[in-house]
Amino acid sequence: MIKVDHAGEHGAICIYSGQLFMARLFAPGMVAELQEFLSHERRHRAMFQAELQRRHYRRCRSYWLCGLGGLVLGLLTGLCGRKAIVATTVAVESVVLKHLAHQLHTLRDIDPLAVATIASIVEEEQHHHDHSAAQIDVRDPWFRALTPVVTAWTETVIWMGMRS
């Protein structure tokens, strides 16, 4: 699970990096927000990297797939502007929060160090979700079009990572 979390944080870094690159041109009002979210994700990845090192684990085989997929998603949604960016964040973070809650439940009596690491990032991931959700109407075409696609892609990447 820690391997998949590490790969997922790498994917999130790539999403926000792609969005930040495009937002400078197409949604300049979002630059500071994206920089903040990106800094959170970089810290989360470092925390999971430390857990991998402590356990002498290699990173997940899906690490680079998460990065490439994240960058493409970030660039495309960033190109489409603010509504696409926030819709993507809501969709990704919804899946991530569900995944983290499952991990916390599964690991609670098995691995207290993993639980502590996972629990330490939940508040920021929830903030990303809630802050973005407050900016979009669920009836908005961007939200309605992107949510099922991004949700399915995120769930698939997590599923693949858990089986590698």
Side-chain angles (χ1 to χ4, degrees):
M1 289 183 187
I2 298 296
K3 287 177 156 187
V4 172
D5 291 341
H6 177 249
E9 295 299 338
H10 181 65
I13 288 167
C14 292
I15 291 170
Y16 287 128
S17 294
Q19 289 176 336
L20 182 58
F21 179 81
M22 293 304 220
R24 287 188 167 95
L25 298 171
F26 300 105
M30 292 200 71
V31 168
E33 176 182 328
L34 291 169
Q35 287 172 328
E36 176 191 354
F37 290 2
L38 180 58
S39 73
H40 296 163
E41 301 300 351
R42 284 183 172 141
R43 187 174 63 256
H44 300 169
R45 182 179 65 183
M47 292 167 64
F48 287 119
Q49 176 65 37
E51 281 298 307
L52 291 178
Q53 289 173 342
R54 189 178 63 74
R55 298 160 189 268
H56 306 290
Y57 289 169
R58 293 182 180 193
R59 66 177 160 223
C60 185
R61 286 184 270 173
S62 66
Y63 183 85
W64 295 113
L65 175 64
C66 288
L68 179 61
L71 182 60
V72 170
L73 180 62
L75 289 170
L76 289 174
T77 58
L79 178 66
C80 295
R82 187 185 70 76
K83 288 182 179 184
I85 291 170
V86 296
T88 299
T89 300
V90 171
V92 169
E93 295 296 4
S94 292
V95 173
V96 167
L97 287 164
K98 183 174 76 173
H99 178 68
L100 294 176
H102 172 73
Q103 287 183 345
L104 289 170
H105 176 75
T106 301
L107 297 173
R108 74 175 181 256
D109 297 324
I110 299 170
D111 191 335
L113 293 174
V115 167
T117 301
I118 294 164
S120 72
I121 72 165
V122 169
E123 185 177 329
E124 286 177 336
E125 301 292 6
Q126 188 71 55
H127 169 68
H128 299 173
H129 174 276
D130 295 349
H131 183 76
S132 297
Q135 298 179 56
I136 196 161
D137 181 346
V138 294
R139 297 168 297 187
D140 186 275
W142 280 116
F143 185 80
R144 293 170 57 110
L146 283 174
T147 298
V149 173
V150 172
T151 297
W153 176 251
T154 305
E155 288 173 345
T156 300
V157 168
I158 291 171
W159 180 84
M160 287 174 23
M162 292 299 287
R163 278 139 187 83
S164 62

